[in-house]
PDB file of all heavy atoms in Angstrom:
ATOM      1  N   PRO A  54     -39.543  39.966 -23.045  1.00 54.00           N
ATOM      2  CA  PRO A  54     -40.387  38.993 -22.403  1.00 54.00           C
ATOM      3  C   PRO A  54     -39.705  38.464 -21.142  1.00 54.00           C
ATOM      4  O   PRO A  54     -38.535  38.655 -20.943  1.00 54.00           O
ATOM      5  CB  PRO A  54     -40.555  37.886 -23.432  1.00 54.00           C
ATOM      6  CG  PRO A  54     -39.328  37.996 -24.292  1.00 54.00           C
ATOM      7  CD  PRO A  54     -38.962  39.467 -24.320  1.00 54.00           C
ATOM      8  N   PRO A  55     -40.408  37.794 -20.254  1.00 53.00           N
ATOM      9  CA  PRO A  55     -39.811  37.228 -19.073  1.00 53.00           C
ATOM     10  C   PRO A  55     -38.782  36.187 -19.415  1.00 53.00           C
ATOM     11  O   PRO A  55     -38.898  35.493 -20.407  1.00 53.00           O
ATOM     12  CB  PRO A  55     -41.001  36.636 -18.313  1.00 53.00           C
ATOM     13  CG  PRO A  55     -42.056  36.450 -19.314  1.00 53.00           C
ATOM     14  CD  PRO A  55     -41.854  37.573 -20.306  1.00 53.00           C
ATOM     15  N   ALA A  56     -37.766  36.109 -18.588  1.00 52.00           N
ATOM     16  CA  ALA A  56     -36.637  35.232 -18.868  1.00 52.00           C
ATOM     17  C   ALA A  56     -37.037  33.767 -18.787  1.00 52.00           C
ATOM     18  O   ALA A  56     -36.519  32.940 -19.472  1.00 52.00           O
ATOM     19  CB  ALA A  56     -35.470  35.503 -17.943  1.00 52.00           C
ATOM     20  N   GLN A  57     -37.949  33.422 -17.889  1.00 52.00           N
ATOM     21  CA  GLN A  57     -38.373  32.035 -17.686  1.00 52.00           C
ATOM     22  C   GLN A  57     -39.891  31.959 -17.791  1.00 52.00           C
ATOM     23  O   GLN A  57     -40.577  32.954 -17.700  1.00 52.00           O
ATOM     24  CB  GLN A  57     -37.923  31.541 -16.296  1.00 52.00           C
ATOM     25  CG  GLN A  57     -36.409  31.497 -16.136  1.00 52.00           C
ATOM     26  CD  GLN A  57     -36.018  31.034 -14.745  1.00 52.00           C
ATOM     27  OE1 GLN A  57     -36.886  30.819 -13.933  1.00 52.00           O
ATOM     28  NE2 GLN A  57     -34.730  30.886 -14.530  1.00 52.00           N
ATOM     29  N   GLY A  58     -40.352  30.739 -17.942  1.00 49.00           N
ATOM     30  CA  GLY A  58     -41.797  30.513 -17.996  1.00 49.00           C
ATOM     31  C   GLY A  58     -42.252  30.343 -19.415  1.00 49.00           C
ATOM     32  O   GLY A  58     -41.638  30.822 -20.355  1.00 49.00           O
ATOM     33  N   LEU A  59     -43.340  29.672 -19.577  1.00 49.00           N
ATOM     34  CA  LEU A  59     -43.949  29.411 -20.921  1.00 49.00           C
ATOM     35  C   LEU A  59     -45.357  29.900 -20.865  1.00 49.00           C
ATOM     36  O   LEU A  59     -46.295  29.147 -21.091  1.00 49.00           O
ATOM     37  CB  LEU A  59     -43.856  27.931 -21.234  1.00 49.00           C
ATOM     38  CG  LEU A  59     -42.431  27.342 -21.334  1.00 49.00           C
ATOM     39  CD1 LEU A  59     -42.520  25.843 -21.570  1.00 49.00           C
ATOM     40  CD2 LEU A  59     -41.650  28.021 -22.466  1.00 49.00           C
ATOM     41  N   GLY A  60     -45.587  31.185 -20.578  1.00 47.00           N
ATOM     42  CA  GLY A  60     -46.932  31.722 -20.523  1.00 47.00           C
ATOM     43  C   GLY A  60     -47.514  31.891 -21.885  1.00 47.00           C
ATOM     44  O   GLY A  60     -46.882  31.702 -22.944  1.00 47.00           O
ATOM     45  N   ALA A  67     -46.975  37.764 -16.162  1.00 50.00           N
ATOM     46  CA  ALA A  67     -45.689  37.378 -16.701  1.00 50.00           C
ATOM     47  C   ALA A  67     -44.608  38.418 -16.421  1.00 50.00           C
ATOM     48  O   ALA A  67     -43.448  38.074 -16.301  1.00 50.00           O
ATOM     49  CB  ALA A  67     -45.816  37.102 -18.203  1.00 50.00           C
ATOM     50  N   TYR A  73     -44.907  36.145 -10.467  1.00 46.00           N
ATOM     51  CA  TYR A  73     -44.311  35.048 -11.223  1.00 46.00           C
ATOM     52  C   TYR A  73     -43.534  34.082 -10.304  1.00 46.00           C
ATOM     53  O   TYR A  73     -43.593  32.885 -10.440  1.00 46.00           O
ATOM     54  CB  TYR A  73     -43.414  35.596 -12.334  1.00 46.00           C
ATOM     55  CG  TYR A  73     -42.721  34.531 -13.145  1.00 46.00           C
ATOM     56  CD1 TYR A  73     -43.446  33.826 -14.103  1.00 46.00           C
ATOM     57  CD2 TYR A  73     -41.390  34.223 -12.957  1.00 46.00           C
ATOM     58  CE1 TYR A  73     -42.863  32.829 -14.847  1.00 46.00           C
ATOM     59  CE2 TYR A  73     -40.781  33.247 -13.703  1.00 46.00           C
ATOM     60  CZ  TYR A  73     -41.542  32.568 -14.653  1.00 46.00           C
ATOM     61  OH  TYR A  73     -40.921  31.583 -15.373  1.00 46.00           O
ATOM     62  N   LYS A  77     -44.397  30.171  -9.730  1.00 48.00           N
ATOM     63  CA  LYS A  77     -43.392  29.142 -10.000  1.00 48.00           C
ATOM     64  C   LYS A  77     -43.148  28.271  -8.804  1.00 48.00           C
ATOM     65  O   LYS A  77     -43.066  27.033  -8.892  1.00 48.00           O
ATOM     66  CB  LYS A  77     -42.077  29.817 -10.438  1.00 48.00           C
ATOM     67  CG  LYS A  77     -40.958  28.832 -10.786  1.00 48.00           C
ATOM     68  CD  LYS A  77     -39.736  29.573 -11.223  1.00 48.00           C
ATOM     69  CE  LYS A  77     -38.608  28.599 -11.558  1.00 48.00           C
ATOM     70  NZ  LYS A  77     -37.387  29.316 -11.979  1.00 48.00           N
TER      71      LYS A  77
END
Side-chain angles (χ1 to χ4, degrees):
Q57 298 178 355
L59 298 175
Y73 179 74
K77 182 179 179 181

